[in-house]
Amino acid sequence: MAFDPATATKAYIDGLGPAALAKAEAYTTGNEWLLLWGLVVSAVVTFLFVRLRILDRIDARLAKRGWALRTWLLCAAFFLLSTILTLPWDIYTGWGRETAYGRTSQPLGDWLGQSAISTLLTALLGGLFFLGVYALIRRTGRRWWIWSGGLAAAAIAAFLLVSPILIEPLFNDYKPVPAGPVRDALVEMAAKADIPADRIYMFDGSRQSNNFTANVSGIGHSARIAISDVALGKASLDEVRAVTGHEIGHYVLGHIWRMVFVFAGLAILLFFAADRLFPRLARWFGSDAAIGDPRGFPVLIFFLSLFGLVTLPLTNTLIRVDESEADHYSLKTENRPDALATALVKTAEYRSPRPGAVEEVIFYDHPSVERRVRAAMDWKAAHPPANAPAPK
């Protein structure tokens, strides 16, 4: 009987069972609504900051300070105080709901501690970035939004460079994969792709999440491939090879650099739109600040949140293209379609595998699991197992 990719795909997805599929759909739909409710929360925070004149009061107290220090402190203060205001919401969305769905086993105290670290980093680094934006508004005139796009590209590249070295170790412990069949396979795969063996790590992703995951981070000499201990614990050797092949695909195909330029372009569009729409939005919230006045920073941040939601279909589409290319790279180099399929099905626990077409375009930053499994089965049909690499 001829192999039928459609039937095989249906069997993989149906194999999860009705209860698991229903739970995944409820979790995914809830996450999509949280994006919209998050924008409402952002609007409420902006309204409170403007109407209570919180940054105006801080600015008055800092009147004798230099402009640069005062601007950075205003931005940092907003990040810190807004996090305190939204803490109940963040606990619910980031910990309570994740715990209820079995997506995390992290104690609340540890979650709060890591959130505090993240908030301090955001206040420090985010404050410095927006200090740069406000400086460009002052110095470059009407074309500040173009220069700010360049600043965004430089900031993203710098963050990617230092993140694996200075930031990610604050949240997780990264170690070489222990000696054994898994490490031997990964070293072999890395060598074929001209990736140094010391660029492949495992990390204690189970500290924050029970999700089956791996990632590529960093650029240049800091670039690395990291596989969660959850993935290593749940996966067979073939699945590890298929997933690692996907991550190597991101590395080899230069997807990180592609996204740097994409988000730099989006930053230019963001700042251009902000330059045109900020006065109207500020008046709507009741602020008298101009776009170059850091007292209006809450309005600018709300506009960033609104812009991110509006452009979500575009950014998700671009990311889905990268993910599809990485899947294809894994299939081409490893030819393990069934292993890739079974690994992908494990991710369906936190990403409904059968979204509607519109839902996938708007909300999914990866192709649906069903679509990815079907691509793997189509590959299998075109490349029979007899052509697969011999077992090592």
Side-chain angles (χ1 to χ4, degrees):
M1 183 176 179
F3 175 73
D4 181 11
T7 301
T9 300
K10 185 176 186 301
Y12 271 120
I13 304 302
D14 288 346
L16 288 166
L21 288 170
K23 184 177 181 180
E25 183 177 2
Y27 176 76
T28 302
T29 302
N31 283 343
E32 292 162 2
W33 278 106
L34 288 180
L35 290 173
L36 302 176
W37 282 113
L39 185 65
V40 173
V41 171
S42 179
V44 170
V45 168
T46 303
F47 180 84
L48 290 174
F49 265 84
V50 171
R51 293 309 174 98
L52 297 177
R53 303 183 68 82
I54 294 174
L55 291 193
D56 298 70
R57 297 170 189 269
I58 296 174
D59 186 56
R61 290 178 175 272
L62 298 173
K64 295 183 179 179
R65 303 287 185 179
W67 175 85
L69 177 60
R70 188 170 73 253
T71 299
W72 177 77
L73 287 173
L74 285 174
C75 296
F78 173 77
F79 284 127
L80 293 171
L81 294 175
S82 63
T83 298
I84 294 173
L85 279 175
T86 61
L87 184 59
W89 171 256
D90 293 336
I91 290 176
Y92 166 68
T93 59
W95 181 81
R97 189 169 182 275
E98 296 295 297
T99 300
Y101 274 95
R103 305 286 12 109
T104 184
S105 303
Q106 187 176 22
L108 178 59
D110 188 47
W111 184 90
L112 288 170
Q114 294 207 319
S115 295
I117 295 172
S118 179
T119 300
L120 290 174
L121 289 172
T122 300
L124 173 63
L125 301 179
L128 288 174
F129 173 75
F130 282 102
L131 168 61
V133 171
Y134 282 116
L136 288 171
I137 294 175
R138 284 165 60 97
R139 293 178 179 273
T140 61
R142 297 179 60 184
R143 303 299 183 191
W144 68 271
W145 46 273
I146 298 176
W147 292 95
S148 293
L151 175 65
I156 294 170
F159 181 83
L160 289 173
L161 181 66
V162 304
S163 182
I165 302 169
L166 300 178
I167 296 177
E168 292 174 12
L170 296 174
F171 300 93
N172 292 100
D173 187 18
Y174 289 81
K175 299 178 179 178
V177 177
V182 171
R183 178 170 177 78
D184 292 343
L186 298 185
V187 169
E188 171 213 325
M189 293 173 65
K192 289 180 180 178
D194 294 324
I195 298 174
D198 60 1
R199 298 285 180 91
I200 300 179
Y201 289 82
M202 65 176 291
F203 68 103
D204 57 337
S206 57
R207 179 178 181 182
Q208 295 95 357
S209 172
N210 297 326
N211 293 347
F212 185 101
T213 186
N215 64 75
V216 173
S217 63
I219 55 176
H221 292 296
S222 73
R224 70 181 177 197
I225 296 167
I227 306 172
S228 169
D229 57 349
V230 176
L232 289 174
K234 290 183 176 180
S236 67
L237 179 58
D238 276 353
E239 288 173 336
V240 170
R241 293 186 69 112
V243 170
T244 305
H246 172 98
E247 299 304 330
I248 288 176
H250 284 308
Y251 183 100
V252 171
L253 298 173
H255 287 161
I256 291 181
W257 280 112
R258 180 190 297 178
M259 296 314 297
V260 168
F261 289 110
V262 166
F263 282 106
L266 286 173
I268 293 175
L269 182 60
L270 161 69
F271 291 128
F272 172 78
D275 185 60
R276 299 302 188 269
L277 300 176
F278 182 90
R280 184 180 304 175
L281 193 60
R283 286 195 301 271
W284 188 80
F285 279 108
S287 173
D288 60 355
I291 193 167
D293 186 345
R295 293 182 303 117
F297 187 55
V299 179
L300 181 60
I301 291 297
F302 173 77
F303 183 80
L304 190 154
S305 299
L306 177 62
F307 181 87
L309 190 60
V310 170
T311 58
L312 193 63
L314 173 61
T315 55
N316 280 348
T317 296
L318 294 172
I319 296 171
R320 286 197 305 274
V321 170
D322 285 356
E323 296 299 328
S324 295
E325 290 179 355
D327 280 351
H328 181 75
Y329 183 92
S330 176
L331 291 167
K332 183 176 68 174
T333 56
E334 284 295 308
N335 197 10
R336 301 175 193 273
D338 286 298
L340 182 62
T342 53
L344 289 170
V345 166
K346 290 181 172 68
T347 70
E349 295 176 353
Y350 57 91
R351 190 183 294 122
S352 180
R354 287 173 171 156
V358 175
E359 179 185 10
E360 184 174 1
V361 168
I362 295 175
F363 295 108
Y364 275 54
D365 61 3
H366 287 59
S368 70
V369 171
E370 184 174 56
R371 188 182 302 276
R372 297 172 76 183
V373 171
R374 176 57 188 267
M377 295 300 98
D378 286 340
W379 175 274
K380 179 179 179 179
H383 302 81
N387 295 336
K392 299 294 180 180

mmCIF file of all heavy atoms in Angstrom, residues 249-287:
data_model
loop_
_atom_site.group_PDB
_atom_site.id
_atom_site.type_symbol
_atom_site.label_atom_id
_atom_site.label_comp_id
_atom_site.label_asym_id
_atom_site.label_seq_id
_atom_site.Cartn_x
_atom_site.Cartn_y
_atom_site.Cartn_z
ATOM 1 N N GLY A 249 19.936 24.475 11.344
ATOM 2 C CA GLY A 249 19.432 25.170 10.173
ATOM 3 C C GLY A 249 19.320 26.672 10.407
ATOM 4 O O GLY A 249 19.715 27.477 9.551
ATOM 5 N N HIS A 250 18.779 27.065 11.560
ATOM 6 C CA HIS A 250 18.722 28.501 11.885
ATOM 7 C C HIS A 250 20.117 29.111 11.866
ATOM 8 O O HIS A 250 20.326 30.210 11.346
ATOM 9 C CB HIS A 250 18.114 28.693 13.281
ATOM 10 C CG HIS A 250 16.624 28.515 13.334
ATOM 11 N ND1 HIS A 250 15.757 29.182 12.501
ATOM 12 C CD2 HIS A 250 15.850 27.741 14.152
ATOM 13 C CE1 HIS A 250 14.511 28.836 12.798
ATOM 14 N NE2 HIS A 250 14.540 27.957 13.782
ATOM 15 N N TYR A 251 21.068 28.390 12.435
ATOM 16 C CA TYR A 251 22.442 28.881 12.559
ATOM 17 C C TYR A 251 23.081 29.020 11.171
ATOM 18 O O TYR A 251 23.616 30.075 10.816
ATOM 19 C CB TYR A 251 23.234 27.902 13.425
ATOM 20 C CG TYR A 251 24.664 28.285 13.732
ATOM 21 C CD1 TYR A 251 24.991 28.849 14.951
ATOM 22 C CD2 TYR A 251 25.688 28.050 12.816
ATOM 23 C CE1 TYR A 251 26.303 29.180 15.254
ATOM 24 C CE2 TYR A 251 26.999 28.386 13.105
ATOM 25 C CZ TYR A 251 27.294 28.952 14.324
ATOM 26 O OH TYR A 251 28.597 29.285 14.614
ATOM 27 N N VAL A 252 23.005 27.964 10.382
ATOM 28 C CA VAL A 252 23.675 27.937 9.082
ATOM 29 C C VAL A 252 23.026 28.914 8.096
ATOM 30 O O VAL A 252 23.720 29.573 7.300
ATOM 31 C CB VAL A 252 23.661 26.506 8.508
ATOM 32 C CG1 VAL A 252 24.154 26.486 7.066
ATOM 33 C CG2 VAL A 252 24.518 25.585 9.378
ATOM 34 N N LEU A 253 21.714 29.027 8.148
ATOM 35 C CA LEU A 253 20.987 29.861 7.197
ATOM 36 C C LEU A 253 20.982 31.351 7.576
ATOM 37 O O LEU A 253 20.412 32.170 6.842
ATOM 38 C CB LEU A 253 19.547 29.353 7.052
ATOM 39 C CG LEU A 253 19.411 27.924 6.503
ATOM 40 C CD1 LEU A 253 17.960 27.453 6.568
ATOM 41 C CD2 LEU A 253 19.930 27.842 5.071
ATOM 42 N N GLY A 254 21.589 31.676 8.700
ATOM 43 C CA GLY A 254 21.730 33.084 9.079
ATOM 44 C C GLY A 254 20.424 33.758 9.447
ATOM 45 O O GLY A 254 20.250 34.966 9.227
ATOM 46 N N HIS A 255 19.515 33.018 10.049
ATOM 47 C CA HIS A 255 18.213 33.594 10.365
ATOM 48 C C HIS A 255 18.300 34.712 11.402
ATOM 49 O O HIS A 255 17.483 35.647 11.369
ATOM 50 C CB HIS A 255 17.273 32.494 10.864
ATOM 51 C CG HIS A 255 16.815 31.582 9.773
ATOM 52 N ND1 HIS A 255 16.287 30.331 10.008
ATOM 53 C CD2 HIS A 255 16.815 31.739 8.418
ATOM 54 C CE1 HIS A 255 15.964 29.758 8.863
ATOM 55 N NE2 HIS A 255 16.283 30.586 7.887
ATOM 56 N N ILE A 256 19.250 34.624 12.306
ATOM 57 C CA ILE A 256 19.350 35.674 13.328
ATOM 58 C C ILE A 256 19.663 37.006 12.676
ATOM 59 O O ILE A 256 19.045 38.042 12.987
ATOM 60 C CB ILE A 256 20.407 35.306 14.381
ATOM 61 C CG1 ILE A 256 19.915 34.125 15.226
ATOM 62 C CG2 ILE A 256 20.704 36.503 15.291
ATOM 63 C CD1 ILE A 256 20.866 33.687 16.307
ATOM 64 N N TRP A 257 20.615 37.021 11.748
ATOM 65 C CA TRP A 257 20.964 38.277 11.074
ATOM 66 C C TRP A 257 19.799 38.787 10.234
ATOM 67 O O TRP A 257 19.563 40.002 10.150
ATOM 68 C CB TRP A 257 22.202 38.081 10.199
ATOM 69 C CG TRP A 257 23.468 38.122 10.985
ATOM 70 C CD1 TRP A 257 24.322 37.085 11.210
ATOM 71 C CD2 TRP A 257 24.016 39.250 11.670
ATOM 72 N NE1 TRP A 257 25.379 37.496 11.997
ATOM 73 C CE2 TRP A 257 25.218 38.822 12.287
ATOM 74 C CE3 TRP A 257 23.615 40.574 11.825
ATOM 75 C CZ2 TRP A 257 26.013 39.677 13.047
ATOM 76 C CZ3 TRP A 257 24.400 41.427 12.584
ATOM 77 C CH2 TRP A 257 25.587 40.976 13.178
ATOM 78 N N ARG A 258 19.076 37.873 9.623
ATOM 79 C CA ARG A 258 17.908 38.289 8.841
ATOM 80 C C ARG A 258 16.910 39.024 9.728
ATOM 81 O O ARG A 258 16.373 40.076 9.356
ATOM 82 C CB ARG A 258 17.249 37.070 8.199
ATOM 83 C CG ARG A 258 16.018 37.418 7.354
ATOM 84 C CD ARG A 258 15.261 36.164 6.935
ATOM 85 N NE ARG A 258 16.060 35.300 6.087
ATOM 86 C CZ ARG A 258 15.629 34.121 5.628
ATOM 87 N NH1 ARG A 258 14.423 33.684 5.961
ATOM 88 N NH2 ARG A 258 16.406 33.383 4.852
ATOM 89 N N MET A 259 16.676 38.479 10.916
ATOM 90 C CA MET A 259 15.706 39.108 11.803
ATOM 91 C C MET A 259 16.210 40.428 12.358
ATOM 92 O O MET A 259 15.409 41.328 12.653
ATOM 93 C CB MET A 259 15.339 38.146 12.940
ATOM 94 C CG MET A 259 14.641 36.871 12.472
ATOM 95 S SD MET A 259 13.308 37.147 11.263
ATOM 96 C CE MET A 259 12.157 38.121 12.234
ATOM 97 N N VAL A 260 17.521 40.576 12.520
ATOM 98 C CA VAL A 260 18.061 41.874 12.948
ATOM 99 C C VAL A 260 17.654 42.950 11.948
ATOM 100 O O VAL A 260 17.161 44.034 12.327
ATOM 101 C CB VAL A 260 19.603 41.824 13.078
ATOM 102 C CG1 VAL A 260 20.174 43.237 13.226
ATOM 103 C CG2 VAL A 260 20.004 40.972 14.286
ATOM 104 N N PHE A 261 17.830 42.674 10.662
ATOM 105 C CA PHE A 261 17.488 43.668 9.642
ATOM 106 C C PHE A 261 15.977 43.862 9.524
ATOM 107 O O PHE A 261 15.497 44.979 9.307
ATOM 108 C CB PHE A 261 18.093 43.256 8.297
ATOM 109 C CG PHE A 261 19.581 43.383 8.251
ATOM 110 C CD1 PHE A 261 20.388 42.251 8.220
ATOM 111 C CD2 PHE A 261 20.200 44.624 8.272
ATOM 112 C CE1 PHE A 261 21.772 42.357 8.195
ATOM 113 C CE2 PHE A 261 21.583 44.750 8.238
ATOM 114 C CZ PHE A 261 22.371 43.614 8.202
ATOM 115 N N VAL A 262 15.218 42.782 9.694
ATOM 116 C CA VAL A 262 13.761 42.905 9.632
ATOM 117 C C VAL A 262 13.256 43.802 10.755
ATOM 118 O O VAL A 262 12.451 44.727 10.533
ATOM 119 C CB VAL A 262 13.096 41.521 9.718
ATOM 120 C CG1 VAL A 262 11.597 41.655 10.009
ATOM 121 C CG2 VAL A 262 13.301 40.756 8.423
ATOM 122 N N PHE A 263 13.737 43.553 11.970
ATOM 123 C CA PHE A 263 13.248 44.343 13.097
ATOM 124 C C PHE A 263 13.794 45.765 13.077
ATOM 125 O O PHE A 263 13.136 46.678 13.579
ATOM 126 C CB PHE A 263 13.585 43.641 14.413
ATOM 127 C CG PHE A 263 12.647 42.495 14.717
ATOM 128 C CD1 PHE A 263 13.058 41.185 14.577
ATOM 129 C CD2 PHE A 263 11.347 42.739 15.112
ATOM 130 C CE1 PHE A 263 12.192 40.135 14.833
ATOM 131 C CE2 PHE A 263 10.464 41.706 15.375
ATOM 132 C CZ PHE A 263 10.889 40.394 15.241
ATOM 133 N N ALA A 264 14.945 45.967 12.480
ATOM 134 C CA ALA A 264 15.430 47.338 12.296
ATOM 135 C C ALA A 264 14.504 48.097 11.343
ATOM 136 O O ALA A 264 14.159 49.263 11.575
ATOM 137 C CB ALA A 264 16.852 47.326 11.753
ATOM 138 N N GLY A 265 14.075 47.415 10.263
ATOM 139 C CA GLY A 265 13.134 48.039 9.343
ATOM 140 C C GLY A 265 11.802 48.337 10.008
ATOM 141 O O GLY A 265 11.209 49.412 9.804
ATOM 142 N N LEU A 266 11.333 47.397 10.828
ATOM 143 C CA LEU A 266 10.093 47.633 11.562
ATOM 144 C C LEU A 266 10.248 48.777 12.555
ATOM 145 O O LEU A 266 9.293 49.536 12.797
ATOM 146 C CB LEU A 266 9.666 46.356 12.282
ATOM 147 C CG LEU A 266 9.090 45.244 11.401
ATOM 148 C CD1 LEU A 266 8.873 43.981 12.215
ATOM 149 C CD2 LEU A 266 7.776 45.693 10.775
ATOM 150 N N ALA A 267 11.441 48.915 13.132
ATOM 151 C CA ALA A 267 11.675 50.017 14.072
ATOM 152 C C ALA A 267 11.570 51.361 13.364
ATOM 153 O O ALA A 267 11.009 52.318 13.906
ATOM 154 C CB ALA A 267 13.050 49.863 14.729
ATOM 155 N N ILE A 268 12.110 51.430 12.146
ATOM 156 C CA ILE A 268 11.979 52.674 11.373
ATOM 157 C C ILE A 268 10.513 52.981 11.129
ATOM 158 O O ILE A 268 10.056 54.126 11.296
ATOM 159 C CB ILE A 268 12.749 52.554 10.043
ATOM 160 C CG1 ILE A 268 14.252 52.481 10.302
ATOM 161 C CG2 ILE A 268 12.428 53.742 9.134
ATOM 162 C CD1 ILE A 268 15.072 52.253 9.049
ATOM 163 N N LEU A 269 9.748 51.963 10.735
ATOM 164 C CA LEU A 269 8.318 52.152 10.506
ATOM 165 C C LEU A 269 7.606 52.558 11.796
ATOM 166 O O LEU A 269 6.730 53.444 11.783
ATOM 167 C CB LEU A 269 7.718 50.864 9.953
ATOM 168 C CG LEU A 269 6.228 50.891 9.598
ATOM 169 C CD1 LEU A 269 5.941 51.951 8.539
ATOM 170 C CD2 LEU A 269 5.771 49.512 9.118
ATOM 171 N N LEU A 270 7.975 51.933 12.899
ATOM 172 C CA LEU A 270 7.391 52.264 14.199
ATOM 173 C C LEU A 270 7.627 53.725 14.542
ATOM 174 O O LEU A 270 6.693 54.461 14.897
ATOM 175 C CB LEU A 270 7.985 51.363 15.287
ATOM 176 C CG LEU A 270 7.840 51.850 16.735
ATOM 177 C CD1 LEU A 270 6.382 51.796 17.158
ATOM 178 C CD2 LEU A 270 8.704 51.013 17.682
ATOM 179 N N PHE A 271 8.878 54.162 14.456
ATOM 180 C CA PHE A 271 9.197 55.528 14.855
ATOM 181 C C PHE A 271 8.610 56.551 13.885
ATOM 182 O O PHE A 271 8.235 57.658 14.290
ATOM 183 C CB PHE A 271 10.708 55.691 14.997
ATOM 184 C CG PHE A 271 11.287 54.935 16.165
ATOM 185 C CD1 PHE A 271 12.366 54.065 15.999
ATOM 186 C CD2 PHE A 271 10.753 55.076 17.431
ATOM 187 C CE1 PHE A 271 12.893 53.365 17.072
ATOM 188 C CE2 PHE A 271 11.274 54.380 18.521
ATOM 189 C CZ PHE A 271 12.339 53.521 18.335
ATOM 190 N N PHE A 272 8.519 56.189 12.602
ATOM 191 C CA PHE A 272 7.868 57.080 11.639
ATOM 192 C C PHE A 272 6.392 57.268 12.007
ATOM 193 O O PHE A 272 5.877 58.393 12.030
ATOM 194 C CB PHE A 272 7.988 56.512 10.229
ATOM 195 C CG PHE A 272 7.187 57.271 9.207
ATOM 196 C CD1 PHE A 272 7.655 58.474 8.697
ATOM 197 C CD2 PHE A 272 5.965 56.776 8.772
ATOM 198 C CE1 PHE A 272 6.907 59.182 7.759
ATOM 199 C CE2 PHE A 272 5.210 57.475 7.836
ATOM 200 C CZ PHE A 272 5.690 58.686 7.334
ATOM 201 N N ALA A 273 5.717 56.147 12.312
ATOM 202 C CA ALA A 273 4.310 56.225 12.695
ATOM 203 C C ALA A 273 4.152 56.999 14.002
ATOM 204 O O ALA A 273 3.209 57.797 14.160
ATOM 205 C CB ALA A 273 3.729 54.822 12.822
ATOM 206 N N ALA A 274 5.064 56.777 14.946
ATOM 207 C CA ALA A 274 4.994 57.498 16.216
ATOM 208 C C ALA A 274 5.161 58.992 15.999
ATOM 209 O O ALA A 274 4.475 59.813 16.631
ATOM 210 C CB ALA A 274 6.070 56.974 17.165
ATOM 211 N N ASP A 275 6.073 59.371 15.111
ATOM 212 C CA ASP A 275 6.298 60.785 14.830
ATOM 213 C C ASP A 275 5.017 61.448 14.323
ATOM 214 O O ASP A 275 4.743 62.619 14.644
ATOM 215 C CB ASP A 275 7.409 60.918 13.791
ATOM 216 C CG ASP A 275 7.801 62.365 13.532
ATOM 217 O OD1 ASP A 275 8.231 63.035 14.479
ATOM 218 O OD2 ASP A 275 7.654 62.803 12.373
ATOM 219 N N ARG A 276 4.226 60.710 13.542
ATOM 220 C CA ARG A 276 3.006 61.273 12.968
ATOM 221 C C ARG A 276 1.809 61.202 13.914
ATOM 222 O O ARG A 276 0.957 62.094 13.917
ATOM 223 C CB ARG A 276 2.660 60.542 11.660
ATOM 224 C CG ARG A 276 3.714 60.645 10.561
ATOM 225 C CD ARG A 276 4.005 62.103 10.192
ATOM 226 N NE ARG A 276 4.867 62.206 9.024
ATOM 227 C CZ ARG A 276 6.189 62.275 9.061
ATOM 228 N NH1 ARG A 276 6.811 62.227 10.241
ATOM 229 N NH2 ARG A 276 6.893 62.384 7.945
ATOM 230 N N LEU A 277 1.734 60.153 14.705
ATOM 231 C CA LEU A 277 0.525 59.905 15.493
ATOM 232 C C LEU A 277 0.646 60.238 16.978
ATOM 233 O O LEU A 277 -0.369 60.286 17.672
ATOM 234 C CB LEU A 277 0.120 58.430 15.347
ATOM 235 C CG LEU A 277 -0.187 57.956 13.925
ATOM 236 C CD1 LEU A 277 -0.479 56.462 13.916
ATOM 237 C CD2 LEU A 277 -1.351 58.730 13.340
ATOM 238 N N PHE A 278 1.874 60.449 17.453
ATOM 239 C CA PHE A 278 2.060 60.676 18.887
ATOM 240 C C PHE A 278 1.243 61.851 19.421
ATOM 241 O O PHE A 278 0.606 61.717 20.482
ATOM 242 C CB PHE A 278 3.541 60.870 19.206
ATOM 243 C CG PHE A 278 3.821 61.055 20.675
ATOM 244 C CD1 PHE A 278 4.088 59.965 21.481
ATOM 245 C CD2 PHE A 278 3.801 62.317 21.262
ATOM 246 C CE1 PHE A 278 4.332 60.120 22.836
ATOM 247 C CE2 PHE A 278 4.053 62.486 22.609
ATOM 248 C CZ PHE A 278 4.309 61.386 23.403
ATOM 249 N N PRO A 279 1.239 63.013 18.771
ATOM 250 C CA PRO A 279 0.489 64.149 19.344
ATOM 251 C C PRO A 279 -0.985 63.827 19.582
ATOM 252 O O PRO A 279 -1.547 64.169 20.629
ATOM 253 C CB PRO A 279 0.660 65.254 18.288
ATOM 254 C CG PRO A 279 1.929 64.899 17.589
ATOM 255 C CD PRO A 279 1.944 63.409 17.537
ATOM 256 N N ARG A 280 -1.607 63.149 18.615
ATOM 257 C CA ARG A 280 -3.023 62.793 18.764
ATOM 258 C C ARG A 280 -3.226 61.801 19.900
ATOM 259 O O ARG A 280 -4.167 61.930 20.702
ATOM 260 C CB ARG A 280 -3.529 62.209 17.452
ATOM 261 C CG ARG A 280 -5.011 61.894 17.432
ATOM 262 C CD ARG A 280 -5.422 61.323 16.088
ATOM 263 N NE ARG A 280 -5.068 62.240 15.003
ATOM 264 C CZ ARG A 280 -5.226 61.948 13.723
ATOM 265 N NH1 ARG A 280 -5.700 60.756 13.365
ATOM 266 N NH2 ARG A 280 -4.901 62.820 12.797
ATOM 267 N N LEU A 281 -2.348 60.796 19.982
ATOM 268 C CA LEU A 281 -2.471 59.797 21.037
ATOM 269 C C LEU A 281 -2.220 60.416 22.414
ATOM 270 O O LEU A 281 -2.915 60.089 23.386
ATOM 271 C CB LEU A 281 -1.479 58.658 20.779
ATOM 272 C CG LEU A 281 -1.652 57.373 21.588
ATOM 273 C CD1 LEU A 281 -3.021 56.756 21.320
ATOM 274 C CD2 LEU A 281 -0.541 56.381 21.248
ATOM 275 N N ALA A 282 -1.238 61.309 22.505
ATOM 276 C CA ALA A 282 -0.948 61.966 23.772
ATOM 277 C C ALA A 282 -2.148 62.783 24.249
ATOM 278 O O ALA A 282 -2.511 62.744 25.441
ATOM 279 C CB ALA A 282 0.279 62.861 23.623
ATOM 280 N N ARG A 283 -2.780 63.503 23.341
ATOM 281 C CA ARG A 283 -3.965 64.284 23.720
ATOM 282 C C ARG A 283 -5.087 63.364 24.173
ATOM 283 O O ARG A 283 -5.835 63.694 25.104
ATOM 284 C CB ARG A 283 -4.436 65.125 22.530
ATOM 285 C CG ARG A 283 -3.552 66.331 22.235
ATOM 286 C CD ARG A 283 -4.246 67.326 21.308
ATOM 287 N NE ARG A 283 -4.618 66.724 20.028
ATOM 288 C CZ ARG A 283 -3.823 66.697 18.968
ATOM 289 N NH1 ARG A 283 -2.597 67.236 19.034
ATOM 290 N NH2 ARG A 283 -4.236 66.139 17.842
ATOM 291 N N TRP A 284 -5.206 62.211 23.522
ATOM 292 C CA TRP A 284 -6.252 61.275 23.906
ATOM 293 C C TRP A 284 -6.072 60.802 25.351
ATOM 294 O O TRP A 284 -7.051 60.628 26.082
ATOM 295 C CB TRP A 284 -6.237 60.086 22.949
ATOM 296 C CG TRP A 284 -7.391 59.154 23.123
ATOM 297 C CD1 TRP A 284 -8.660 59.297 22.655
ATOM 298 C CD2 TRP A 284 -7.383 57.913 23.848
ATOM 299 N NE1 TRP A 284 -9.449 58.230 23.029
ATOM 300 C CE2 TRP A 284 -8.690 57.361 23.765
ATOM 301 C CE3 TRP A 284 -6.404 57.209 24.560
ATOM 302 C CZ2 TRP A 284 -9.029 56.159 24.355
ATOM 303 C CZ3 TRP A 284 -6.742 56.002 25.154
ATOM 304 C CH2 TRP A 284 -8.032 55.489 25.047
ATOM 305 N N PHE A 285 -4.836 60.607 25.772
ATOM 306 C CA PHE A 285 -4.565 60.200 27.151
ATOM 307 C C PHE A 285 -4.557 61.384 28.123
ATOM 308 O O PHE A 285 -4.569 61.191 29.335
ATOM 309 C CB PHE A 285 -3.226 59.460 27.244
ATOM 310 C CG PHE A 285 -3.297 58.014 26.858
ATOM 311 C CD1 PHE A 285 -2.739 57.565 25.672
ATOM 312 C CD2 PHE A 285 -3.931 57.088 27.676
ATOM 313 C CE1 PHE A 285 -2.798 56.227 25.311
ATOM 314 C CE2 PHE A 285 -3.990 55.743 27.339
ATOM 315 C CZ PHE A 285 -3.423 55.306 26.144
ATOM 316 N N GLY A 286 -4.515 62.605 27.576
ATOM 317 C CA GLY A 286 -4.503 63.785 28.439
ATOM 318 C C GLY A 286 -3.122 64.326 28.721
ATOM 319 O O GLY A 286 -2.931 65.081 29.683
ATOM 320 N N SER A 287 -2.126 63.958 27.895
ATOM 321 C CA SER A 287 -0.761 64.430 28.097
ATOM 322 C C SER A 287 -0.481 65.635 27.207
ATOM 323 O O SER A 287 -0.945 65.699 26.063
ATOM 324 C CB SER A 287 0.234 63.308 27.774
ATOM 325 O OG SER A 287 1.565 63.775 27.814
#
